Amino acid sequence: SRDLWEYELNLKKFEIDRLLNHLWEMIQTTWFDYFFIDENCSYQLLTLLEVARPSMLLTSNHYLHAIPIDTVKSILKEKNILNKIHYRPSFEKKMLTKRAALNKDQRVNYFSLIENHNLDKKYSKETLEAVISYLRYFRFKKKKLSHSQTKILRKLLIKRSKLKGVSQNISNILNKSPPNLSHNSITYGFSLGDHQGLGIFNDFSFRVSMHDLFNNDQGYPPFSEIDFLNLNLRFFYEQKKLFFHGLTPLSILSLHPIRPLLFDFSWTFYTKINRIFEQINNPFNYNIGTGAGINYRLLDESLSAFSLLIVDLSAGKAHQKGYRYSIGFKVGAIFNIDKKFKFGFPVEILWDLNQINRTKPRLKLSSVLSIYNNPNYEFRFKANYQKNINYDQNELFENSATFYYFF
């Protein structure tokens, strides 16, 4: 279940009438090709708003892609266009918020009532409302309730109606992060780093969209990643040459926390083309991988600890057979400190299953610190250590400092 943000626009009546008349004309005679990246449903909404108010030039800002949140930001740049923002929390968000507000005794009664359905005891209105919220979420998640759950929900509603007092107001304790306050989606990065064997380097990166694990979470689901078309070039000072370092067509990471009465797997999927600079002439490596596991949120949701089982397939001239398939783990912990810093140390361990005489696992250790001056500026400090990468070199260490600009 997802939170919904509704942006109520300040359009005059004649502008709304013009938009509706235009829609009525199109519904019978017009069709569009759909392009996922640029001319998608979000883009077409911009064209409708340009019909309603021709002075708004919204589509001209989206020549590369039209991500929904970017289109919202384009609209909100118009003067006096926004009337009001309505926030509609998901069933899950409401259920978790109501449960988190319970005191110790109420939480004991909450879990007991869900497990035993004992309505003979007296319960506080907060406990009843939290259980009602849980059953509503469960009905949404599973599409229906069992006969006994339906009966208990009805009895809970009747029991709550007999208690005095208004329902708990959770609007002030909800963790609200409007998407329009998030960083912009296109990213440019500039790095200065030091490689153990090849010396000082600069990295130049360009990402079409959208968000990686160590970016500012404001406006995004916390501890998540959707990294799309991320290009990286590297310049070594000693060699005085610019190299293609890597391209990530797509990398997705969803760290869904395990909570009492709730269990959802965390998962990842990635495709990468990269060159690990053990030596200056190393060939390219092509990777595709996926994995699933668990994630825990601790310290009032500010710490995410995860463990994923990874299956990885790679191809390239650096491998004895031209390819290798591996299995292993990706684990780590990430701290989100006061929403201004992120510090984490992901660890990746992979065993090659088809390489001759490869009994030792490949190991990759990282430590990352990200600092956010504002949503569209980020400073990141990173150290990488890798061991047993290929046959020609056993260890690799490099560190870097990067400035990211989101536009």
Side-chain angles (χ1 to χ4, degrees), residues 165-314:
V166 297
S167 296
Q168 182 186 17
N169 183 8
I170 63 170
S171 60
N172 294 327
I173 56 176
L174 280 167
N175 182 18
K176 295 180 284 189
S177 184
N180 59 291
L181 298 183
S182 64
H183 63 73
N184 295 328
S185 58
I186 301 178
T187 313
Y188 171 75
F190 174 77
S191 302
L192 176 64
D194 182 38
H195 185 282
Q196 180 184 23
L198 300 174
I200 305 298
F201 63 83
N202 288 133
D203 276 351
F204 307 90
S205 61
F206 179 81
R207 182 177 66 195
V208 174
S209 67
M210 181 174 193
H211 179 79
D212 73 32
L213 189 58
F214 286 92
N215 288 147
N216 191 337
D217 284 334
Q218 186 174 13
Y220 287 91
F223 303 109
S224 62
E225 175 174 291
I226 301 180
D227 203 2
F228 179 64
L229 291 181
N230 192 344
L231 173 67
N232 190 276
L233 304 176
R234 176 167 289 189
F235 178 82
F236 282 107
Y237 281 75
E238 253 183 60
Q239 289 74 24
K240 298 180 180 178
K241 190 174 180 181
L242 185 67
F243 295 87
F244 172 83
H245 188 204
L247 172 68
T248 300
L250 181 64
S251 176
I252 303 174
L253 177 62
S254 175
L255 296 178
H256 200 287
I258 293 176
R259 295 186 172 101
L261 304 176
L262 300 175
F263 182 87
D264 282 305
F265 278 109
S266 297
W267 61 277
T268 184
F269 172 81
Y270 58 86
T271 59
K272 297 180 181 179
I273 305 168
N274 61 2
R275 174 186 275 156
I276 300 174
F277 281 105
E278 304 167 294
Q279 297 175 4
I280 202 65
N281 58 349
N282 264 30
F284 296 125
N285 192 48
Y286 305 88
N287 276 81
I288 183 169
T290 187
I294 57 175
N295 169 242
Y296 289 96
R297 299 276 173 85
L298 306 168
L299 302 178
D300 195 27
E301 301 284 307
S302 63
L303 168 62
S304 177
F306 62 91
S307 176
L308 304 175
L309 177 66
I310 300 291
V311 177
D312 181 270
L313 174 64
S314 62

